[in-house]
Amino acid sequence: MSDRPQFALRFISGKYQGGEFPLRKDREIIIGRSSDLDMVLVEDMVSRRHAKIATTATEVTISDMGSTNGTFVNGEKISTSPIREGDRILVGTSIIKMVAVDPAANAHQSEAEARRRLEAGANRQNSGGGRPMSGVIEEIPLPDLLQLLSTSRKSGVLSISGVVGVGRIYLRNGAIYFAAINDDFNVSPQKAIYRMLSWETGQFELEPGGEMNVMEEIQESVEGLLMEGVRQIDEFRHLQRQLPAPHSALAVPTPVAGKLRDLSKDELDIFQLVLDHGQLQAILDNYWGSDLAAAKNLLELMKREFVVVP
């Protein structure tokens, strides 16, 4: 088997974002802050000798070398773990993805050249005022990113610029305690998180900063929020086919199609929001519960013709 690289480590977040380092068969590389190592990552959260990656003919493994802040694979803190194509590694503030490469195209890229390119990329980011942890959610979906930040106990404000605006998730030692989209505090923080989890494109930055004082903090674990969020997104997308477009007008017909006393409390709340706002997105934003619950109640009202699209 040729020693041409079959895989590479691609930096998808952090000061070395965009750089790649080839992995060659029967080779070990040491990652750390010390300048005499194979892959040098100059940042405070990386230990002098942080991790080791070994490549054989059949597998690639990564081992933590007793680092202060740990090494993580797909959100799990590891001592030694196999890594496969698509796996994401967190070292310091760098998120690194293992990717397949064209052996012929990468045959002549030396490790020394890869080191120079990593250093040059880091210098460009520093001169441009680049953030220590940033990237695109096309490369690392938000659920995976939040799992990494949670397990590694990161603090700060995760800003996500998406199609519908800017979302912010506030973290304290890896726990989410608040969230908002476009600084709209009328939407509950849980609802804001669930909406952001559905974003498939956009840029993110983890910004250091002081804590935000809020009236009521989120108490759910990150794992609980992610599990519930993914469940609700799947169900909402299924119901969304039956809903009108987000900015569609909604109305209550005259006369009303039935007796209001026959409606449940939640259905009455949606009925009132139709009267007050008359637009689907505004109803979703102002409903006290989740978008999924609002959609279920609204569809029931439309089925029984208490609400119509004029």
Side-chain angles (χ1 to χ4, degrees), residues 74-206:
N74 297 330
E76 297 293 330
K77 191 172 186 178
I78 59 97
S79 53
T80 298
S81 172
I83 50 175
R84 302 174 180 85
E85 182 182 357
D87 284 349
R88 298 179 181 91
I89 304 161
L90 178 66
V91 174
T93 62
S94 292
I95 302 175
I96 310 165
K97 184 177 182 181
M98 184 162 144
V99 297
V101 295
D102 180 353
N106 290 272
H108 303 297
Q109 184 184 13
S110 67
E111 291 180 4
E113 177 62 24
R115 281 196 296 272
R116 285 193 292 271
R117 290 183 179 183
L118 285 178
E119 183 179 351
N123 290 335
R124 284 194 299 273
Q125 286 229 29
N126 288 337
S127 64
R131 297 288 185 182
M133 182 177 277
S134 62
V136 294
I137 57 178
E138 293 94 318
E139 282 276 14
I140 176 164
L142 191 53
D144 295 350
L145 177 60
L146 288 172
Q147 186 66 50
L148 279 171
L149 298 178
S150 171
T151 313
S152 55
R153 300 179 61 81
K154 293 289 192 290
S155 297
V157 183
L158 181 65
S159 296
I160 307 105
S161 300
V163 175
V164 299
V166 178
R168 291 184 174 87
I169 298 175
Y170 297 80
L171 297 137
R172 181 194 301 122
N173 296 323
I176 299 173
Y177 67 92
F178 192 71
I181 298 174
N182 296 329
D183 294 328
D184 182 359
F185 302 121
N186 291 320
V187 174
S188 74
Q190 287 91 341
K191 185 185 292 188
I193 290 171
Y194 298 158
R195 288 184 180 181
M196 282 184 268
L197 290 176
S198 70
W199 294 359
E200 296 178 346
T201 61
Q203 297 181 320
F204 70 83
E205 291 182 351
L206 180 64

